[in-house]
Amino acid sequence: MGVQNNTPRASPRRKSTTLQHLFDLDSKTATGTNEKKIGTANIGCSSSSNLENEEILSSISFCTFVFTFTDPSECATHQELKRNKLLQLLSVVKSSKKPLHDQVMSSLISMISLNLFRPLPPPSNPSSAAEFPEDEDHISTFSPLWSHLQLVYDILIRLVINTDPKLLRGYIDNQFVVNLLALFQSEDPRERDSLKNVYHRIYSRFTFYRSFMRKSMNDVFLHYVFETERHCGIRELLEIWGSIINGFTVPLKEEHKLFLMRVLIPFHKTKGMQAYHRQLAYCVSQFVQKEPVLGGIVVRGILRYWPVTNCQKEVLLIGELEELVENIDPDQYRKLALPLCLQITRCLNSWNSQVAERALYVWNNEQFVKMISVAMEEVFPVVVEGMEKNLKWHWSKSVRQLTENVKVMLEEMDPVLHSKCLEEIELRESKAHQAEIKRKEKWDRIEMAAAQHHNQHQFLQPPHFLCVSH
Protein backbone atom coordinates (compact mmCIF):
# COMPACT_ATOMS: atom_id res chain seq x y z
CA MET A 1 0.00 0.00 0.00
CA GLY A 2 1.21 3.33 -0.70
CA VAL A 3 1.85 5.55 2.20
CA GLN A 4 -0.52 8.59 2.23
CA ASN A 5 1.28 11.83 2.31
CA ASN A 6 -0.77 14.07 4.59
CA THR A 7 1.72 16.82 4.45
CA PRO A 8 -0.08 19.95 3.20
CA ARG A 9 1.05 21.37 -0.14
CA ALA A 10 2.37 24.81 -0.30
CA SER A 11 -0.59 27.00 -1.35
CA PRO A 12 -0.11 29.57 -4.07
CA ARG A 13 0.52 33.15 -3.04
CA ARG A 14 -2.78 35.00 -2.49
CA LYS A 15 -3.43 38.46 -3.88
CA SER A 16 -4.31 41.10 -1.36
CA THR A 17 -8.04 41.66 -1.03
CA THR A 18 -7.93 45.43 -1.23
CA LEU A 19 -10.93 47.60 -2.41
CA GLN A 20 -9.17 48.33 -5.66
CA HIS A 21 -8.71 44.63 -6.28
CA LEU A 22 -12.42 43.97 -5.82
CA PHE A 23 -13.31 46.82 -8.21
CA ASP A 24 -10.98 45.36 -10.81
CA LEU A 25 -12.54 41.91 -10.49
CA ASP A 26 -16.06 43.34 -10.77
CA SER A 27 -15.09 45.39 -13.77
CA LYS A 28 -13.70 42.36 -15.60
CA THR A 29 -16.78 40.28 -14.80
CA ALA A 30 -19.13 43.04 -15.90
CA THR A 31 -17.20 43.59 -19.10
CA GLY A 32 -17.38 39.96 -20.03
CA THR A 33 -21.09 39.80 -19.26
CA ASN A 34 -21.82 42.96 -21.24
CA GLU A 35 -19.89 41.70 -24.24
CA LYS A 36 -22.02 38.55 -24.23
CA LYS A 37 -25.21 40.62 -23.89
CA ILE A 38 -24.19 43.03 -26.64
CA GLY A 39 -23.35 40.20 -28.96
CA THR A 40 -26.71 38.62 -28.30
CA ALA A 41 -28.48 41.96 -28.66
CA ASN A 42 -26.74 42.73 -31.97
CA ILE A 43 -27.83 39.39 -33.32
CA GLY A 44 -31.39 40.10 -32.11
CA CYS A 45 -31.44 43.63 -33.54
CA SER A 46 -30.04 42.45 -36.86
CA SER A 47 -32.61 39.70 -37.01
CA SER A 48 -35.40 42.11 -36.09
CA SER A 49 -34.21 44.66 -38.66
CA ASN A 50 -34.01 42.02 -41.38
CA LEU A 51 -37.50 40.83 -40.54
CA GLU A 52 -38.83 44.38 -40.66
CA ASN A 53 -37.14 45.00 -44.03
CA GLU A 54 -38.62 41.78 -45.38
CA GLU A 55 -42.10 42.90 -44.31
CA ILE A 56 -41.59 46.28 -45.96
CA LEU A 57 -40.30 44.67 -49.15
CA SER A 58 -43.29 42.33 -49.15
CA SER A 59 -45.67 45.30 -48.90
CA ILE A 60 -43.79 47.11 -51.65
CA SER A 61 -43.95 44.06 -53.87
CA PHE A 62 -47.72 43.82 -53.43
CA CYS A 63 -48.13 47.53 -54.25
CA THR A 64 -46.30 47.20 -57.56
CA PHE A 65 -49.46 45.71 -59.05
CA VAL A 66 -51.44 48.55 -60.62
CA PHE A 67 -55.23 48.36 -60.56
CA THR A 68 -57.19 50.11 -63.30
CA PHE A 69 -60.48 50.37 -61.32
CA THR A 70 -62.27 49.89 -64.65
CA ASP A 71 -61.64 46.18 -65.22
CA PRO A 72 -64.59 44.17 -63.81
CA SER A 73 -62.29 41.21 -63.14
CA GLU A 74 -60.35 43.19 -60.52
CA CYS A 75 -61.13 42.24 -56.93
CA ALA A 76 -62.32 45.06 -54.67
CA THR A 77 -60.81 43.27 -51.68
CA HIS A 78 -57.37 43.31 -53.29
CA GLN A 79 -57.78 46.99 -54.15
CA GLU A 80 -58.54 47.78 -50.52
CA LEU A 81 -55.64 45.58 -49.38
CA LYS A 82 -53.26 47.53 -51.60
CA ARG A 83 -54.57 50.76 -50.11
CA ASN A 84 -53.86 49.45 -46.62
CA LYS A 85 -50.36 48.37 -47.66
CA LEU A 86 -49.72 51.87 -49.05
CA LEU A 87 -50.88 53.36 -45.76
CA GLN A 88 -48.43 51.10 -43.93
CA LEU A 89 -45.59 52.18 -46.20
CA LEU A 90 -46.52 55.83 -45.68
CA SER A 91 -46.40 55.28 -41.93
CA VAL A 92 -42.95 53.66 -42.24
CA VAL A 93 -41.58 56.53 -44.31
CA LYS A 94 -43.02 59.14 -41.93
CA SER A 95 -41.78 57.46 -38.72
CA SER A 96 -38.36 56.34 -39.94
CA LYS A 97 -35.65 58.25 -38.07
CA LYS A 98 -32.77 56.78 -40.04
CA PRO A 99 -32.27 56.31 -43.78
CA LEU A 100 -34.07 53.34 -45.29
CA HIS A 101 -32.05 50.32 -46.34
CA ASP A 102 -30.70 50.53 -49.90
CA GLN A 103 -32.77 47.59 -51.05
CA VAL A 104 -35.92 49.06 -49.48
CA MET A 105 -35.27 52.48 -51.00
CA SER A 106 -34.61 51.05 -54.45
CA SER A 107 -37.76 48.91 -54.33
CA LEU A 108 -39.82 51.82 -53.01
CA ILE A 109 -38.76 54.18 -55.82
CA SER A 110 -39.44 51.42 -58.37
CA MET A 111 -42.92 50.92 -56.92
CA ILE A 112 -43.59 54.68 -57.04
CA SER A 113 -42.45 54.80 -60.67
CA LEU A 114 -44.64 51.86 -61.67
CA ASN A 115 -47.73 53.48 -60.13
CA LEU A 116 -47.19 57.07 -61.28
CA PHE A 117 -45.47 56.87 -64.66
CA ARG A 118 -48.29 55.48 -66.74
CA PRO A 119 -49.81 56.38 -70.11
CA LEU A 120 -52.38 59.12 -69.56
CA PRO A 121 -55.80 58.73 -71.20
CA PRO A 122 -56.47 60.84 -74.31
CA PRO A 123 -58.03 64.29 -73.74
CA SER A 124 -61.71 64.05 -72.95
CA ASN A 125 -62.41 67.06 -75.19
CA PRO A 126 -59.41 68.15 -77.31
CA SER A 127 -60.88 71.54 -78.23
CA SER A 128 -62.37 72.52 -74.88
CA ALA A 129 -59.19 73.80 -73.26
CA ALA A 130 -58.66 76.39 -75.95
CA GLU A 131 -62.29 77.39 -76.39
CA PHE A 132 -63.42 77.46 -72.76
CA PRO A 133 -60.24 77.83 -70.68
CA GLU A 134 -61.93 79.79 -67.90
CA ASP A 135 -64.26 76.89 -67.06
CA GLU A 136 -62.33 74.29 -65.09
CA ASP A 137 -65.08 71.69 -65.53
CA HIS A 138 -64.31 71.41 -69.24
CA ILE A 139 -60.79 70.12 -68.62
CA SER A 140 -61.22 68.25 -65.33
CA THR A 141 -61.60 64.50 -65.39
CA PHE A 142 -61.23 62.75 -62.05
CA SER A 143 -59.08 59.62 -62.25
CA PRO A 144 -60.54 56.41 -60.74
CA LEU A 145 -57.01 55.51 -59.60
CA TRP A 146 -56.83 58.46 -57.21
CA SER A 147 -57.45 56.45 -54.01
CA HIS A 148 -54.10 54.73 -54.66
CA LEU A 149 -52.29 57.55 -56.46
CA GLN A 150 -52.88 59.96 -53.59
CA LEU A 151 -51.02 57.69 -51.17
CA VAL A 152 -48.18 57.09 -53.64
CA TYR A 153 -47.72 60.87 -53.99
CA ASP A 154 -47.78 61.22 -50.19
CA ILE A 155 -45.07 58.56 -49.87
CA LEU A 156 -42.94 60.31 -52.49
CA ILE A 157 -43.21 63.74 -50.92
CA ARG A 158 -42.35 62.34 -47.47
CA LEU A 159 -39.28 60.67 -48.97
CA VAL A 160 -38.20 63.94 -50.56
CA ILE A 161 -38.71 65.87 -47.32
CA ASN A 162 -37.20 63.35 -44.87
CA THR A 163 -34.27 61.97 -46.88
CA ASP A 164 -30.95 63.63 -47.59
CA PRO A 165 -30.98 64.72 -51.27
CA LYS A 166 -27.49 63.31 -51.73
CA LEU A 167 -28.76 59.87 -50.75
CA LEU A 168 -31.83 60.17 -52.99
CA ARG A 169 -29.80 61.37 -55.96
CA GLY A 170 -29.03 57.79 -56.94
CA TYR A 171 -32.75 56.98 -57.15
CA ILE A 172 -34.38 60.27 -58.29
CA ASP A 173 -32.49 61.21 -61.45
CA ASN A 174 -33.13 63.50 -64.43
CA GLN A 175 -35.38 60.97 -66.13
CA PHE A 176 -37.49 60.66 -62.99
CA VAL A 177 -37.94 64.44 -62.95
CA VAL A 178 -38.86 64.50 -66.66
CA ASN A 179 -41.45 61.76 -66.08
CA LEU A 180 -42.97 63.79 -63.24
CA LEU A 181 -43.18 66.84 -65.51
CA ALA A 182 -45.02 64.81 -68.16
CA LEU A 183 -47.74 63.96 -65.62
CA PHE A 184 -48.80 67.63 -65.47
CA GLN A 185 -50.83 66.75 -68.57
CA SER A 186 -53.22 64.86 -66.30
CA GLU A 187 -56.78 66.18 -66.44
CA ASP A 188 -57.32 65.40 -62.74
CA PRO A 189 -56.76 68.66 -60.78
CA ARG A 190 -56.05 66.67 -57.60
CA GLU A 191 -53.11 64.93 -59.25
CA ARG A 192 -51.76 68.19 -60.68
CA ASP A 193 -51.90 69.77 -57.23
CA SER A 194 -49.93 66.86 -55.72
CA LEU A 195 -47.46 67.03 -58.60
CA LYS A 196 -46.98 70.75 -57.99
CA ASN A 197 -46.07 70.10 -54.34
CA VAL A 198 -43.70 67.24 -55.16
CA TYR A 199 -42.01 69.04 -58.07
CA HIS A 200 -41.53 72.20 -56.06
CA ARG A 201 -40.11 70.25 -53.10
CA ILE A 202 -37.62 68.53 -55.40
CA TYR A 203 -36.62 71.89 -56.88
CA SER A 204 -36.22 73.36 -53.41
CA ARG A 205 -34.12 70.53 -51.93
CA PHE A 206 -32.27 69.11 -54.97
CA THR A 207 -30.27 72.23 -55.78
CA PHE A 208 -28.14 70.30 -58.28
CA TYR A 209 -31.23 69.73 -60.47
CA ARG A 210 -32.52 73.31 -60.54
CA SER A 211 -31.06 74.39 -63.85
CA PHE A 212 -32.25 71.21 -65.56
CA MET A 213 -35.75 71.56 -64.06
CA ARG A 214 -36.08 75.18 -65.20
CA LYS A 215 -35.04 74.25 -68.73
CA SER A 216 -37.48 71.33 -68.80
CA MET A 217 -40.37 73.59 -67.74
CA ASN A 218 -39.32 76.19 -70.34
CA ASP A 219 -39.52 73.52 -73.06
CA VAL A 220 -43.08 72.70 -71.98
CA PHE A 221 -44.04 76.40 -72.05
CA LEU A 222 -42.54 77.04 -75.48
CA HIS A 223 -44.24 73.97 -76.94
CA TYR A 224 -47.54 75.19 -75.51
CA VAL A 225 -47.25 78.83 -76.62
CA PHE A 226 -45.90 78.34 -80.13
CA GLU A 227 -47.24 74.93 -81.15
CA THR A 228 -50.17 73.28 -79.39
CA GLU A 229 -51.84 75.72 -76.95
CA ARG A 230 -53.05 72.57 -75.22
CA HIS A 231 -51.79 71.65 -71.73
CA CYS A 232 -53.68 71.05 -68.51
CA GLY A 233 -50.88 71.94 -66.08
CA ILE A 234 -49.81 75.43 -67.17
CA ARG A 235 -51.45 77.03 -64.13
CA GLU A 236 -49.62 74.75 -61.69
CA LEU A 237 -46.28 75.16 -63.47
CA LEU A 238 -46.62 78.94 -63.39
CA GLU A 239 -47.33 78.74 -59.65
CA ILE A 240 -44.03 76.90 -59.23
CA TRP A 241 -42.31 79.54 -61.34
CA GLY A 242 -43.82 82.33 -59.23
CA SER A 243 -42.07 80.89 -56.18
CA ILE A 244 -38.83 80.42 -58.14
CA ILE A 245 -38.81 84.01 -59.44
CA ASN A 246 -39.51 85.28 -55.94
CA GLY A 247 -36.18 83.76 -54.89
CA PHE A 248 -34.13 85.32 -57.68
CA THR A 249 -31.39 87.70 -56.55
CA VAL A 250 -30.83 91.17 -57.98
CA PRO A 251 -29.38 91.97 -60.47
CA LEU A 252 -31.19 89.33 -62.47
CA LYS A 253 -29.22 86.91 -64.61
CA GLU A 254 -29.46 87.20 -68.38
CA GLU A 255 -31.00 83.71 -68.49
CA HIS A 256 -33.89 84.88 -66.33
CA LYS A 257 -34.49 88.04 -68.36
CA LEU A 258 -34.64 85.95 -71.54
CA PHE A 259 -37.25 83.73 -69.85
CA LEU A 260 -39.37 86.83 -69.24
CA MET A 261 -39.07 88.10 -72.81
CA ARG A 262 -39.24 84.82 -74.74
CA VAL A 263 -41.69 82.82 -72.61
CA LEU A 264 -43.76 84.86 -70.16
CA ILE A 265 -44.61 87.81 -72.42
CA PRO A 266 -45.70 85.60 -75.39
CA PHE A 267 -48.00 83.76 -72.96
CA HIS A 268 -50.32 86.79 -73.27
CA LYS A 269 -51.22 85.88 -76.85
CA THR A 270 -52.60 82.40 -76.14
CA LYS A 271 -56.31 81.62 -76.33
CA GLY A 272 -56.36 79.96 -72.91
CA MET A 273 -54.75 82.84 -71.03
CA GLN A 274 -57.82 83.42 -68.82
CA ALA A 275 -57.27 80.05 -67.11
CA TYR A 276 -53.86 81.01 -65.72
CA HIS A 277 -53.71 84.80 -66.01
CA ARG A 278 -53.48 85.37 -62.25
CA GLN A 279 -50.37 83.17 -62.01
CA LEU A 280 -48.88 84.68 -65.18
CA ALA A 281 -49.42 88.26 -63.97
CA TYR A 282 -47.78 87.40 -60.64
CA CYS A 283 -44.67 86.03 -62.39
CA VAL A 284 -44.39 89.11 -64.61
CA SER A 285 -44.92 91.54 -61.73
CA GLN A 286 -42.16 89.80 -59.74
CA PHE A 287 -39.68 90.59 -62.51
CA VAL A 288 -40.75 94.24 -62.69
CA GLN A 289 -40.61 94.63 -58.91
CA LYS A 290 -37.07 93.28 -58.84
CA GLU A 291 -35.91 95.38 -61.81
CA PRO A 292 -38.36 98.24 -62.61
CA VAL A 293 -36.47 99.00 -65.81
CA LEU A 294 -38.00 95.81 -67.29
CA GLY A 295 -41.44 97.42 -67.05
CA GLY A 296 -41.08 99.07 -70.45
CA ILE A 297 -40.30 95.75 -72.15
CA VAL A 298 -43.29 94.09 -70.48
CA VAL A 299 -45.78 96.87 -71.31
CA ARG A 300 -44.74 96.98 -74.98
CA GLY A 301 -44.91 93.20 -75.15
CA ILE A 302 -48.45 93.10 -73.77
CA LEU A 303 -49.55 95.86 -76.16
CA ARG A 304 -48.05 93.90 -79.06
CA TYR A 305 -50.15 90.83 -78.21
CA TRP A 306 -53.36 92.76 -77.47
CA PRO A 307 -56.48 90.76 -78.42
CA VAL A 308 -58.80 92.03 -81.16
CA THR A 309 -62.07 90.23 -80.44
CA ASN A 310 -61.66 88.67 -76.96
CA CYS A 311 -63.27 91.07 -74.49
CA GLN A 312 -62.53 88.94 -71.41
CA LYS A 313 -58.81 89.00 -72.20
CA GLU A 314 -58.95 92.76 -72.69
CA VAL A 315 -60.43 93.26 -69.21
CA LEU A 316 -57.69 91.10 -67.66
CA LEU A 317 -54.88 92.84 -69.56
CA ILE A 318 -56.12 96.31 -68.59
CA GLY A 319 -55.93 95.25 -64.94
CA GLU A 320 -52.43 93.83 -65.44
CA LEU A 321 -51.21 97.03 -67.10
CA GLU A 322 -52.62 99.07 -64.23
CA GLU A 323 -50.66 96.99 -61.71
CA LEU A 324 -47.48 97.22 -63.79
CA VAL A 325 -47.67 101.01 -63.92
CA GLU A 326 -47.26 101.08 -60.14
CA ASN A 327 -43.86 99.34 -60.37
CA ILE A 328 -42.45 100.81 -63.58
CA ASP A 329 -39.31 102.92 -63.41
CA PRO A 330 -40.49 106.60 -63.48
CA ASP A 331 -37.77 107.37 -66.03
CA GLN A 332 -39.79 105.37 -68.56
CA TYR A 333 -43.05 107.25 -68.03
CA ARG A 334 -42.57 109.60 -70.98
CA LYS A 335 -41.77 106.76 -73.41
CA LEU A 336 -44.70 104.61 -72.30
CA ALA A 337 -47.38 107.26 -71.72
CA LEU A 338 -48.50 107.67 -75.35
CA PRO A 339 -48.65 103.98 -76.47
CA LEU A 340 -50.32 103.02 -73.19
CA CYS A 341 -52.92 105.81 -73.43
CA LEU A 342 -53.64 104.97 -77.08
CA GLN A 343 -54.60 101.44 -76.08
CA ILE A 344 -56.56 102.52 -73.00
CA THR A 345 -58.46 105.03 -75.15
CA ARG A 346 -59.31 102.35 -77.72
CA CYS A 347 -60.63 100.24 -74.88
CA LEU A 348 -62.77 102.99 -73.34
CA ASN A 349 -64.29 103.50 -76.80
CA SER A 350 -65.13 99.77 -77.01
CA TRP A 351 -68.77 98.86 -77.64
CA ASN A 352 -68.40 96.21 -74.95
CA SER A 353 -69.44 97.99 -71.77
CA GLN A 354 -67.24 95.83 -69.48
CA VAL A 355 -64.10 96.70 -71.44
CA ALA A 356 -65.04 100.39 -71.61
CA GLU A 357 -65.83 100.63 -67.90
CA ARG A 358 -62.61 98.83 -66.90
CA ALA A 359 -60.57 101.21 -69.06
CA LEU A 360 -62.29 104.24 -67.51
CA TYR A 361 -61.61 102.96 -63.98
CA VAL A 362 -57.87 103.08 -64.73
CA TRP A 363 -58.12 106.85 -64.34
CA ASN A 364 -58.70 106.32 -60.61
CA ASN A 365 -55.12 105.06 -60.32
CA GLU A 366 -52.90 107.85 -59.01
CA GLN A 367 -49.73 106.38 -60.53
CA PHE A 368 -51.36 106.17 -63.96
CA VAL A 369 -52.47 109.80 -63.74
CA LYS A 370 -48.96 110.74 -62.64
CA MET A 371 -47.51 109.04 -65.73
CA ILE A 372 -49.98 110.92 -67.95
CA SER A 373 -49.00 114.24 -66.39
CA VAL A 374 -45.40 113.69 -67.53
CA ALA A 375 -46.44 113.73 -71.21
CA MET A 376 -49.55 115.94 -71.21
CA GLU A 377 -48.92 117.58 -74.60
CA GLU A 378 -48.73 114.20 -76.36
CA VAL A 379 -51.42 112.33 -74.44
CA PHE A 380 -54.20 114.89 -73.93
CA PRO A 381 -55.30 115.21 -77.58
CA VAL A 382 -55.76 111.42 -77.83
CA VAL A 383 -57.58 111.08 -74.51
CA VAL A 384 -59.87 114.09 -74.90
CA GLU A 385 -60.94 112.96 -78.38
CA GLY A 386 -61.76 109.49 -76.99
CA MET A 387 -63.86 111.02 -74.22
CA GLU A 388 -65.83 113.18 -76.66
CA LYS A 389 -66.57 110.15 -78.86
CA ASN A 390 -67.96 108.28 -75.87
CA LEU A 391 -70.17 111.17 -74.80
CA LYS A 392 -71.63 111.46 -78.31
CA TRP A 393 -71.92 107.91 -79.50
CA HIS A 394 -71.65 105.26 -76.77
CA TRP A 395 -74.83 103.28 -76.14
CA SER A 396 -74.21 102.52 -72.44
CA LYS A 397 -75.51 105.05 -69.93
CA SER A 398 -73.04 103.93 -67.23
CA VAL A 399 -70.11 104.30 -69.66
CA ARG A 400 -71.23 107.82 -70.57
CA GLN A 401 -71.52 108.71 -66.87
CA LEU A 402 -68.01 107.42 -66.11
CA THR A 403 -66.71 109.27 -69.15
CA GLU A 404 -68.22 112.49 -67.86
CA ASN A 405 -66.44 111.99 -64.53
CA VAL A 406 -63.08 111.47 -66.23
CA LYS A 407 -63.67 114.50 -68.44
CA VAL A 408 -64.17 116.68 -65.35
CA MET A 409 -60.89 115.35 -63.94
CA LEU A 410 -59.05 116.13 -67.19
CA GLU A 411 -60.41 119.66 -67.21
CA GLU A 412 -59.11 120.17 -63.67
CA MET A 413 -55.67 118.80 -64.57
CA ASP A 414 -55.05 121.42 -67.28
CA PRO A 415 -58.03 123.63 -68.27
CA VAL A 416 -56.12 125.51 -70.96
CA LEU A 417 -54.79 122.40 -72.69
CA HIS A 418 -58.21 120.72 -72.45
CA SER A 419 -59.91 123.70 -74.11
CA LYS A 420 -57.25 123.74 -76.79
CA CYS A 421 -57.84 120.05 -77.51
CA LEU A 422 -61.60 120.65 -77.77
CA GLU A 423 -61.03 123.48 -80.24
CA GLU A 424 -58.78 121.27 -82.35
CA ILE A 425 -61.42 118.54 -82.31
CA GLU A 426 -64.10 121.01 -83.43
CA LEU A 427 -61.81 122.32 -86.17
CA ARG A 428 -61.10 118.78 -87.44
CA GLU A 429 -64.80 117.93 -87.35
CA SER A 430 -65.64 121.13 -89.22
CA LYS A 431 -63.03 120.37 -91.89
CA ALA A 432 -64.26 116.80 -92.13
CA HIS A 433 -67.84 118.05 -92.49
CA GLN A 434 -66.82 120.47 -95.25
CA ALA A 435 -64.90 117.70 -96.99
CA GLU A 436 -67.95 115.45 -96.76
CA ILE A 437 -70.16 118.18 -98.30
CA LYS A 438 -67.69 118.66 -101.17
CA ARG A 439 -67.46 114.92 -101.70
CA LYS A 440 -71.25 114.63 -101.83
CA GLU A 441 -71.51 117.55 -104.25
CA LYS A 442 -68.88 115.97 -106.47
CA TRP A 443 -70.75 112.67 -106.51
CA ASP A 444 -73.99 114.50 -107.31
CA ARG A 445 -72.34 116.15 -110.32
CA ILE A 446 -70.97 112.81 -111.47
CA GLU A 447 -74.40 111.18 -111.16
CA MET A 448 -76.06 114.05 -113.06
CA ALA A 449 -73.48 113.82 -115.84
CA ALA A 450 -73.97 110.09 -116.07
CA ALA A 451 -77.76 110.50 -116.23
CA GLN A 452 -77.51 113.12 -119.02
CA HIS A 453 -75.15 110.91 -121.00
CA HIS A 454 -77.56 108.01 -120.64
CA ASN A 455 -80.51 110.12 -121.83
CA GLN A 456 -78.61 111.42 -124.89
CA HIS A 457 -77.62 107.89 -125.84
CA GLN A 458 -81.26 106.78 -125.69
CA PHE A 459 -82.41 109.80 -127.82
CA LEU A 460 -79.89 109.16 -130.60
CA GLN A 461 -80.60 105.41 -130.80
CA PRO A 462 -83.28 104.56 -133.52
CA PRO A 463 -86.50 102.83 -132.51
CA HIS A 464 -86.53 99.03 -132.63
CA PHE A 465 -89.21 98.82 -135.35
CA LEU A 466 -87.00 100.86 -137.76
CA CYS A 467 -84.12 98.41 -137.45
CA VAL A 468 -84.04 96.13 -140.55
CA SER A 469 -82.49 92.74 -140.13
CA HIS A 470 -80.38 91.50 -143.01
Side-chain angles (χ1 to χ4, degrees):
M1 289 180 64
V3 177
Q4 286 184 339
N5 187 2
N6 294 327
T7 306
R9 294 180 181 177
S11 62
R13 188 178 177 182
R14 291 185 178 182
K15 294 181 181 178
S16 61
T17 56
T18 61
L19 188 61
Q20 182 63 45
H21 175 66
L22 294 174
F23 275 138
D24 291 342
L25 287 175
D26 186 59
S27 176
K28 289 179 182 178
T29 306
T31 303
T33 306
N34 286 340
E35 286 175 354
K36 290 180 181 179
K37 287 181 178 179
I38 289 170
T40 307
N42 284 339
I43 294 170
C45 286
S46 177
S47 176
S48 174
S49 178
N50 290 336
L51 183 61
E52 183 181 352
N53 286 340
E54 287 177 6
E55 291 177 357
I56 295 173
L57 288 170
S58 175
S59 297
I60 293 173
S61 177
F62 187 86
C63 293
T64 54
F65 184 82
V66 179
F67 293 93
T68 63
F69 287 85
T70 56
D71 187 350
S73 65
E74 292 177 354
C75 178
T77 305
H78 290 170
Q79 292 172 352
E80 185 61 25
L81 181 58
K82 177 178 176 178
R83 188 173 184 280
N84 291 333
K85 295 282 187 183
L86 288 170
L87 284 169
Q88 291 174 9
L89 291 174
L90 178 59
S91 178
V92 169
V93 173
K94 280 183 176 180
S95 60
S96 179
K97 295 181 180 179
K98 59 181 181 180
L100 297 175
H101 190 272
D102 287 346
Q103 188 179 1
V104 173
M105 181 68 78
S106 177
S107 300
L108 196 59
I109 295 297
S110 297
M111 183 274 292
I112 290 171
S113 299
L114 284 170
N115 279 272
L116 295 185
F117 304 146
R118 65 208 188 277
L120 294 174
S124 57
N125 191 345
S127 63
S128 64
E131 293 175 4
F132 307 102
E134 70 280 1
D135 190 347
E136 180 67 21
D137 292 338
H138 284 280
I139 56 173
S140 294
T141 303
F142 295 102
S143 172
L145 285 69
W146 182 243
S147 60
H148 289 172
L149 288 177
Q150 181 182 15
L151 295 171
V152 176
Y153 278 114
D154 289 343
I155 292 170
L156 177 56
I157 198 167
R158 294 313 304 182
L159 276 177
V160 172
I161 293 172
N162 294 346
T163 311
D164 185 353
K166 293 179 181 178
L167 295 176
L168 272 181
R169 189 173 189 175
Y171 307 100
I172 297 180
D173 55 8
N174 285 358
Q175 188 57 49
F176 188 95
V177 172
V178 169
N179 291 339
L180 277 179
L181 188 61
L183 290 175
F184 278 96
Q185 283 276 27
S186 171
E187 292 189 350
D188 192 331
R190 301 169 300 180
E191 181 169 15
R192 296 199 303 271
D193 193 59
S194 294
L195 276 167
K196 177 185 68 177
N197 294 332
V198 171
Y199 202 83
H200 187 247
R201 285 285 186 178
I202 293 175
Y203 184 90
S204 176
R205 303 204 72 219
F206 291 62
T207 55
F208 38 80
Y209 287 158
R210 287 183 178 179
S211 178
F212 174 78
M213 293 175 77
R214 288 197 302 268
K215 184 180 182 303
S216 299
M217 286 189 283
N218 286 358
D219 292 342
V220 171
F221 288 155
L222 291 171
H223 184 71
Y224 170 80
V225 172
F226 296 105
E227 294 188 34
T228 64
E229 289 200 17
R230 169 79 200 192
H231 197 289
C232 296
I234 296 297
R235 181 195 293 109
E236 288 78 11
L237 290 173
L238 284 173
E239 284 184 17
I240 295 172
W241 260 106
S243 178
I244 293 172
I245 297 167
N246 193 33
F248 285 165
T249 56
V250 179
L252 294 170
K253 295 180 181 178
E254 193 65 25
E255 169 200 350
H256 303 150
K257 294 179 183 178
L258 288 175
F259 171 71
L260 169 67
M261 292 183 282
R262 295 179 179 177
V263 180
L264 291 184
I265 293 178
F267 255 120
H268 292 83
K269 79 182 183 70
T270 59
K271 295 178 182 177
M273 189 201 72
Q274 295 98 303
Y276 50 78
H277 179 260
R278 182 172 59 84
Q279 291 79 8
L280 175 62
Y282 177 76
C283 290
V284 172
S285 67
Q286 287 288 306
F287 273 105
V288 179
Q289 286 175 22
K290 288 181 180 292
E291 287 196 10
V293 72
L294 294 173
I297 296 173
V298 173
V299 169
R300 291 189 188 93
I302 293 175
L303 294 178
R304 183 167 64 250
Y305 294 119
W306 200 270
V308 178
T309 58
N310 193 328
C311 297
Q312 292 179 339
K313 282 183 70 173
E314 285 193 276
V315 171
L316 292 173
L317 293 180
I318 293 169
E320 185 176 355
L321 287 177
E322 184 179 355
E323 291 180 7
L324 287 171
V325 167
E326 297 179 2
N327 296 310
I328 289 175
D329 185 358
D331 293 339
Q332 298 190 0
Y333 280 178
R334 180 168 288 278
K335 293 179 181 178
L336 296 176
L338 183 58
L340 191 56
C341 278
L342 280 170
Q343 187 58 61
I344 294 296
T345 302
R346 290 191 199 104
C347 290
L348 63 88
N349 287 146
S350 171
W351 290 113
N352 184 284
S353 60
Q354 291 182 337
V355 175
E357 288 177 12
R358 186 64 187 87
L360 287 164
Y361 279 126
V362 172
W363 289 91
N364 291 330
N365 188 301
E366 294 180 4
Q367 208 66 27
F368 179 79
V369 174
K370 183 178 179 181
M371 182 178 70
I372 299 306
S373 63
V374 173
M376 297 274 279
E377 294 289 338
E378 299 173 0
V379 170
F380 248 58
V382 174
V383 177
V384 172
E385 184 176 4
M387 299 295 169
E388 294 303 312
K389 284 182 180 179
N390 262 13
L391 292 173
K392 288 181 180 179
W393 307 110
H394 207 287
W395 64 270
S396 172
K397 184 178 179 181
S398 61
V399 170
R400 292 198 302 272
Q401 182 61 50
L402 288 171
T403 303
E404 188 65 43
N405 296 340
V406 176
K407 179 180 178 180
V408 171
M409 185 184 72
L410 293 174
E411 289 175 347
E412 293 174 353
M413 285 176 67
D414 194 330
V416 176
L417 183 57
H418 187 269
S419 299
K420 181 182 176 183
C421 291
L422 289 177
E423 291 174 1
E424 290 176 354
I425 292 171
E426 290 177 2
L427 181 61
R428 283 198 302 272
E429 289 180 350
S430 176
K431 289 181 178 179
H433 183 64
Q434 293 297 326
E436 178 66 20
I437 292 174
K438 290 181 180 179
R439 187 185 67 84
K440 191 173 183 306
E441 290 176 351
K442 187 174 182 180
W443 274 112
D444 290 342
R445 288 197 298 270
I446 292 172
E447 287 177 356
M448 289 177 62
Q452 291 176 358
H453 179 73
H454 180 70
N455 292 336
Q456 290 177 358
H457 180 71
Q458 283 187 335
F459 178 77
L460 294 175
Q461 187 176 5
H464 290 291
F465 62 87
L466 295 179
C467 295
V468 180
S469 58
H470 297 281

